Amino acid sequence: MDRNPRLLTILAVVAVLALALVPLFAERYTIQLFTKIMTMAIFAMSLGLLVSGVGLVSLGHAAFFGLGAYVLALTSPANEGASLWWALPLVVLVTAAVAAAIGALVVRTSGIYFIMLTLAFGQMLFYLFHDAKFAGGSDGRYLNFRPTVELLGSELLSLNDRPTLFYVALVFMVATYGIISMILNAPFGRAIVGIRVNEPRMKALGYNTYAYKLAAFVIAGGLCAVAGFLYATQYRAVNPALFSWRESGLVLMMVILGGLRSRLGPAIGAFGLVLFEETVQALTDHWLLATGVFVIVVVLLLPDGLASLFQRKQPTAAEADDG
Amino acid sequence: MAEAVLVTESLSKRFGGLVAVNDVSLTVQTGDVHCVIGPNGAGKTTLLNLLSGALPPTAGQIRFGGQEVTSLPAHRRARLGIGRSFQRTNIFPEFTVYENCRLGAQAKLRSSMHFVRPAERDVGVRERAERAMELVGLTGRRQALASALSHGEQRQLEIGVMLATEPSLLLLDEPMAGMSADETTRMVALIRRLKAGHTLVLIEHDMDAVFAVADIITVMVNGAVLASGKPDEIRRSQAVQDAYLGSDDA
C-alpha cells in the first residue's frame, strides 16, 4: 500500500483532532454513534491489512470480530468487571490463536477459493455460537459489567462513562492505524505487499510466502479482536449475528469504499458508510436502497475509493519517471 | 577439473501423457556459462523450472553444491543460492526500480518477519540493492516505476532483481528475448561480467549470443539431451546440424 500523500495525512490529523472535540459538544447519541464508527474503523483497518496488504479478500473476517466480543463476554466475571489489563491481551491472543488455526488452512488458497473458504469458516463459527448453550445460543450473552481500568488499586478510567469510552476507542483506533502503518513500513510489510503484486516471483527470490500470508492473517485476526472487545464493552451484549457473513460483507464494503490504495482507506470507508446510512435513515425508510446506490456510485466514479477525493492524482508511470 | 556445482541425474517431468523433460543428466561446472538450446517445445523452460524448484520432477535427482535438493521448495533453493530470471518478464510493475531490487536484497535476510524497524533502515539490504542496480545499469532509473521502463530495461531489471539476492548459480531464461541488437550486445557484456563469481545456466534462442558467451552448450530436442559439449563440438556435430542448427528458423 502506498504511503499517504501529505494532504491526506494533514486531513487525517485534523479529523482526529476534530473527533476529539465531539464529546465536549455532542449529545449522548452522537457520542455513541462515533464510538461505534471508530470500532468499525478498527474492524475495517484489520481487514484492510489482508485485502490491500496481502491481496487476500476475506469474506469471513467477522469471525474474529465475533470472537473478540464473545471471549470478553465469556471470560468476564458475573459480578464485577474484568480488568482491561488482562482481558484485552486475552481477547487478542485467543482470537489470534483461532486465526492461526483457520489461517493455516485457508492461506494455502487464493482468489475465489480463499473467499469461499473464509466464508465457510465464518459460517461455521456463526452456527457454533448460535447453537452453543454455554454462549447463550441465538440470544447471545450479556456482559454484566464493563471492563475496569485500574492503576495501583485505584480506578484510572471508567468505561461506563460515555465520553471516556469514546476517547478509549479513539486511542485504540489511532493505535491500530499506527501499528498497521509500522508493520507495512517494516521488512514484513514490504514482503506481503510484494506477495500481493507477484507471489511466484517472491517464492523464486527465496520468500516462504505461505509463512508471511499466515502471519498477516493472524495479525489481522488479532487486531480485529480489539474491535470486538470495544463492541462488547460498548453494548454490553454479544450475539451470533456478530459472526454473520452480512457483517463480513459490510466491513469488506467499507474497505473497498474507502479505497484499496490508501492506508487510511478502510477508516475513511467506515466513517463514510455509517455516516451516510445515518443521514439517509433519518430521511427515508428505503435507506438500504440508498446505501446500495451510494456504494455503486462511489465505486464507479472513484475506483480508488473515497480516499482519492483527498489526494492528488497518483503520479502516472511517466510522471514518476524523472529520476 | 573443477567441482560440479549442479548435477542432475535422469531428471524427468511428465504432464499427463506428455514427457516434457526426459531422462536429462546434466553436469554444470563451477564458473561455467552453460547454455541450453533447442527448438520451441524442447523442454528447456520446464528443465529450468525443475532446477529452480518451481515444479517437482516426476523422476530423477538434483544436487546443488553436493547437497540433494530434489524435494526442496523453490524458496529454500533460492536461499541456498539458486537465482532465477524469467522468460516473460516477472517483476513488480507497480514498484520503483529501487524497490524491486530492494525486495530481492531483502530476501537474503535470514527472515523478513520483522515488524517494527522500517525496512529502509537496513543498510546492508540497501547496499545490495544499489549494487544490483549498478550491475545491470539501472542506477539512473532508480525512482522510475518498473512498469514505465522500456522492454530492454525491464529485461535488465529482471536480472537485477535476481542479482540482488546474491545467488551463486544463475538460471536465466532467454535474457535476450525481444531485445534490439544494441540491447543484446549490452546483455552479452553483462553475462560476461557475471561470469566472474557466478555459474550460469542460460536458455537462449539467439545463436550469435549463445556462441559468444557459452563455455558448454547442451542441445535439447523433445525433452531429451541430444548433445552436450564445447561450442566447437556442437557446431560440428552432424546430429545437431540435422535436428536444429541446420534449419533456418533459429
Side-chain angles (χ1 to χ4, degrees), chain B residues 84-96:
Chain B
R84 152 118 210 231
S85 80
F86 294 81
Q87 178 181 4
R88 291 186 52 197
T89 303
N90 193 356
I91 50 181
F92 303 93
E94 54 192 85
F95 296 163
T96 59

Side-chain angles (χ1 to χ4, degrees), chain A residues 68-70 72-73 143 146 227-238:
Chain A
Y70 264 88
L72 177 63
L143 183 70
R146 293 195 171 89
F229 178 97
L230 276 177
Y231 179 92
T233 301
Q234 181 177 6
Y235 293 102
R236 280 188 40 219
V238 297

Side-chain angles (χ1 to χ4, degrees), chain B residues 51-130:
Chain B
L51 297 179
S52 74
L55 289 174
T58 314
Q61 271 201 357
I62 305 165
R63 281 199 305 280
F64 173 65
Q67 183 186 348
E68 160 97 44
V69 298
T70 318
S71 55
L72 287 188
H75 66 91
R76 296 274 304 278
R77 291 193 211 183
R79 292 187 157 269
L80 291 175
I82 301 182
R84 152 118 210 231
S85 80
F86 294 81
Q87 178 181 4
R88 291 186 52 197
T89 303
N90 193 356
I91 50 181
F92 303 93
E94 54 192 85
F95 296 163
T96 59
V97 166
Y98 169 71
E99 179 63 10
N100 267 269
C101 292
R102 210 201 54 77
L103 267 180
Q106 185 183 305
K108 225 194 158 214
L109 297 177
R110 196 182 310 139
S111 158
S112 284
M113 291 283 180
H114 300 294
F115 304 92
V116 179
R117 211 165 82 113
E120 254 355 287
R121 296 255 180 90
D122 194 318
V123 179
V125 168
R126 250 165 38 203
E127 283 174 357
R128 274 201 294 282
E130 296 289 345

Side-chain angles (χ1 to χ4, degrees), chain A residues 1-322:
Chain A
M1 266 188 284
D2 301 342
R3 239 165 268 234
N4 295 310
R6 185 171 297 151
L7 175 64
L8 190 55
T9 310
I10 293 170
L11 281 172
V13 171
V14 171
V16 166
L17 292 177
L19 209 50
L21 300 177
V22 165
L24 303 182
F25 304 105
E27 53 193 320
R28 206 171 105 170
Y29 178 78
T30 312
I31 297 176
Q32 284 175 326
L33 174 67
F34 275 98
T35 307
K36 179 186 152 198
I37 295 177
M38 292 189 287
T39 301
M40 294 308 284
I42 295 172
F43 189 5
M45 282 191 282
S46 71
L47 178 62
L49 181 67
L50 275 187
V51 177
S52 40
V54 207
L56 291 170
V57 177
S58 169
L59 239 158
H61 203 55
F64 308 119
F65 184 61
L67 267 173
Y70 264 88
V71 172
L72 177 63
L74 292 173
T75 58
S76 289
N79 43 18
E80 57 175 339
S83 165
L84 178 129
W85 304 129
W86 64 259
L88 183 60
L90 179 78
V91 162
V92 170
L93 286 177
V94 170
T95 308
V98 175
I102 294 175
L105 296 170
V106 299
V107 303
R108 290 183 186 282
T109 63
S110 58
I112 190 79
Y113 301 101
F114 183 82
I115 295 176
M116 297 315 292
L117 274 180
T118 48
L119 178 62
F121 272 107
Q123 289 303 92
M124 272 169 60
L125 283 172
F126 170 81
Y127 284 110
L128 180 68
F129 281 87
H130 186 272
D131 299 339
K133 284 221 166 55
F134 75 92
S138 58
D139 293 336
R141 288 271 291 234
Y142 286 106
L143 183 70
N144 292 342
F145 296 92
R146 293 195 171 89
T148 57
V149 190
E150 291 183 343
L151 198 65
L152 303 171
S154 61
E155 188 176 56
L156 185 67
L157 302 168
S158 167
L159 300 185
N160 290 317
D161 178 51
R162 272 186 206 90
T164 306
L165 184 61
F166 174 97
Y167 286 117
V168 168
L170 180 63
V171 168
F172 280 10
M173 179 180 75
V174 173
T176 302
Y177 176 78
I179 289 170
I180 289 177
S181 213
M182 176 185 81
I183 289 174
L184 285 171
N185 287 336
F188 175 80
R190 300 297 189 89
I192 60 172
V193 178
I195 290 170
R196 166 170 66 75
V197 175
N198 191 344
E199 182 171 359
R201 185 65 199 239
M202 289 297 278
K203 281 186 190 159
L205 287 176
Y207 290 94
N208 181 0
T209 57
Y210 173 74
Y212 293 104
K213 289 197 286 187
L214 178 56
F217 195 83
V218 172
I219 294 170
L223 288 174
C224 184
V226 176
F229 178 97
L230 276 177
Y231 179 92
T233 301
Q234 181 177 6
Y235 293 102
R236 280 188 40 219
V238 297
N239 63 71
L242 297 179
F243 289 93
S244 70
W245 65 270
R246 198 188 163 278
E247 206 72 24
S248 294
L250 186 72
V251 74
L252 183 58
M253 203 147 78
M254 290 172 179
V255 171
I256 294 168
L257 201 63
L260 294 173
R261 300 204 49 172
S262 163
R263 286 182 190 179
L264 284 165
I268 294 173
F271 278 84
L273 190 65
V274 180
L275 288 178
F276 180 86
E277 281 190 349
E278 276 299 315
T279 315
V280 270
Q281 250 171 22
L283 300 175
T284 165
D285 288 339
H286 304 292
W287 57 278
L288 272 174
L289 185 66
T291 304
V293 172
F294 174 63
V295 170
I296 291 169
V297 168
V298 170
V299 169
L300 285 180
L301 294 182
L302 301 167
D304 286 331
L306 291 172
S308 60
L309 285 175
F310 309 108
Q311 56 201 61
R312 280 184 310 158
K313 193 163 70 75
Q314 290 287 336
T316 61
E319 285 163 350
D321 189 17
D322 45 16

